[in-house]
Amino acid sequence: GTSARRVEFANDKVALTFAGDITIDSPIHGKTSGPDGGNNGFTVEPNANVVFNGEVRQYSLGGRITVGAGATITFKGGYIQDTSGMTSAIYPRGSGTIIVEDKPLCSGFRLECATDNPVTFDFRTTGNNLKMNRDYNWALFTGPIYTRVANVFAGRPWIQLRSASAFLDLCGNNQSVMLFHGESGTRVTSATPATLTVTSETMSQYQDNTNAGDTNRVDLAVFEGAVSFKKTGPVIHTFGATSTSTGTVSVTQGPLVFNANGKWPNCMSVSATSTGRLVLRNSEAFNEKATLSVATTAQLQLDGCTNKFDRLYVDGHRKGGGTYGAVDSGAKYEVNWIVGTGLLEVAEHGLILYLR
């Protein structure tokens, strides 16, 4: 049925439970006392379908949304979790689906799914702000995430996929986040071309932004389909899994590291421009038929490995085949934009003529 009555609750022990198919048109405002002490929030029973057309706002330290198996909650009027506090958070529970449509989902502090609660998120609107009262914070997902439009996330979110049941499907839409990290078994996918941009802004809680070593959090997510990856900020990002995506890889600032296990064998276009640093720690990081583009202001760091590429462009100009290395490396071409003990081998394609 449909309810148009305004719903308010101020007692921190109140629980709202929904079953069957119901549409609520008016706003719902509520107050609970925290995730462990009377934080009842909203519960949707298994296989139910609940649509909130009005704004849903919880004034609490933690807003728990429990979605039973096979159930769906659709927020059309927006969901806001205590934008006045510094410690408020959204705690989704269950294994159903949360759809965010028309107006965004906003949290004062963070969004955190429990490891045994693989809630599905279906974002159909832009501007979802997961940390309104902090310069940065995290969103922990343990189930699927679908982004049906571009620029789903607002602010500076740190997106984490922290269980094997979690994956991010870009659905052909470009997304930008501050930091990204996937645990083993997680995936980033898109059937049609889409780019995940990681702005990698400085954040000491995440990792040392000056160290290109392996002491930082290693991204173990597998990138699939037609996903491209772009890193634009100073904080290091390290790949530690073999991805199958046919998309491109680019870095414009700070280190992008492929450790001993980090590989993108189906990527055919790799670039390090501006002040980006591409760090390769295995000889199979990319397909030997791929094209490498670098700027002389950027760096290619080869840590004891020999990496092969089919074509090389430096500052937009194609270069000849042969071996490239750092100064005093003994390579055929010694260049300032390569550092480390490894070598770059570019395939020979005969004489290259430039016509002006």
Side-chain angles (χ1 to χ4, degrees):
T2 300
S3 172
R5 181 175 297 177
R6 181 180 180 87
V7 179
E8 296 185 1
F9 59 100
N11 188 302
D12 64 8
K13 303 300 180 183
V14 171
L16 293 180
T17 300
F18 303 91
D21 293 336
I22 184 169
T23 298
I24 300 175
D25 294 325
S26 294
I28 292 183
H29 290 185
K31 181 178 181 180
T32 58
S33 63
D36 298 315
N39 178 32
N40 298 304
F42 304 99
T43 297
V44 176
E45 296 290 342
N47 302 312
N49 181 25
V50 180
V51 177
F52 294 99
N53 287 326
E55 178 188 84
V56 177
R57 183 185 292 262
Q58 289 204 81
Y59 302 93
S60 61
L61 295 180
R64 182 163 301 185
I65 307 172
T66 302
V67 194
T72 299
I73 294 180
T74 301
F75 293 111
K76 289 189 174 183
Y79 179 94
I80 300 177
Q81 174 59 38
D82 189 14
T83 58
S84 63
M86 291 291 289
T87 59
S88 61
I90 300 174
Y91 297 100
R93 296 295 184 264
S95 58
T97 298
I98 296 176
I99 298 174
V100 184
E101 186 175 330
D102 295 342
K103 293 185 178 181
L105 177 149
C106 300
S107 174
F109 184 43
R110 67 176 183 268
L111 183 150
E112 182 175 346
C113 297
T115 55
D116 57 348
N117 287 262
V119 177
T120 295
F121 276 84
D122 192 330
F123 289 102
R124 303 179 182 182
T125 187
T126 62
N128 295 278
N129 195 334
L130 306 181
K131 40 102 257 145
M132 296 176 69
N133 295 310
R134 290 291 181 94
D135 289 338
Y136 55 81
N137 231 295
W138 58 86
L140 308 178
F141 294 94
T142 56
I145 312 166
Y146 297 93
T147 57
R148 308 290 184 181
V149 295
N151 302 315
V152 157
F153 303 107
R156 303 163 68 215
W158 170 11
I159 302 297
Q160 297 182 60
L161 307 181
R162 68 175 192 177
S163 74
S165 58
F167 64 83
L168 170 62
D169 189 339
L170 300 180
C171 302
N173 299 296
N174 296 336
Q175 304 299 336
S176 179
V177 299
M178 186 181 73
L179 295 167
F180 177 84
H181 171 242
E183 297 290 348
S184 178
T186 61
R187 301 178 290 121
V188 180
T189 187
S190 182
T192 55
T195 299
L196 177 63
T197 298
V198 177
T199 59
S200 299
E201 299 170 53
T202 301
M203 181 171 166
S204 60
Q205 287 184 343
Y206 179 72
Q207 56 202 168
D208 179 357
N209 68 308
T210 63
N211 177 25
D214 289 321
T215 59
N216 63 293
R217 294 175 181 264
V218 176
D219 183 5
L220 298 175
V222 172
F223 285 66
E224 303 176 335
V227 177
S228 294
F229 181 88
K230 183 177 183 180
K231 194 187 91 67
T232 63
V235 174
I236 180 176
H237 188 99
T238 300
F239 284 114
T242 298
S243 292
T244 59
S245 174
T246 58
T248 64
V249 171
S250 61
V251 54
T252 62
Q253 184 182 4
L256 176 60
V257 179
F258 289 78
N259 70 12
N261 298 310
K263 302 173 184 178
W264 277 54
N266 296 330
C267 172
M268 301 305 291
S269 178
V270 187
S271 65
T273 57
S274 189
T275 58
R277 176 155 50 112
L278 180 63
V279 182
L280 304 182
R281 297 202 168 121
N282 74 83
S283 60
E284 298 177 340
F286 295 103
N287 194 310
E288 64 181 38
K289 295 297 183 181
T291 295
L292 173 64
S293 300
V294 298
T296 52
T297 55
Q299 277 191 341
L300 173 63
Q301 180 175 327
L302 303 174
D303 289 345
C305 55
T306 297
N307 293 87
K308 297 180 180 180
F309 286 88
D310 188 57
R311 287 175 171 81
L312 171 65
Y313 288 85
V314 178
D315 290 337
H317 300 291
R318 186 174 171 184
K319 298 298 182 179
T323 302
Y324 291 75
V327 174
D328 296 329
S329 65
K332 179 179 179 180
Y333 302 104
E334 296 184 350
V335 293
N336 290 325
W337 48 267
I338 293 181
V339 296
T341 59
L343 296 173
L344 169 65
E345 289 188 4
V346 179
E348 300 279 0
H349 290 284
L351 182 63
I352 300 176
L353 297 177
Y354 293 96
L355 301 178
R356 296 181 178 272

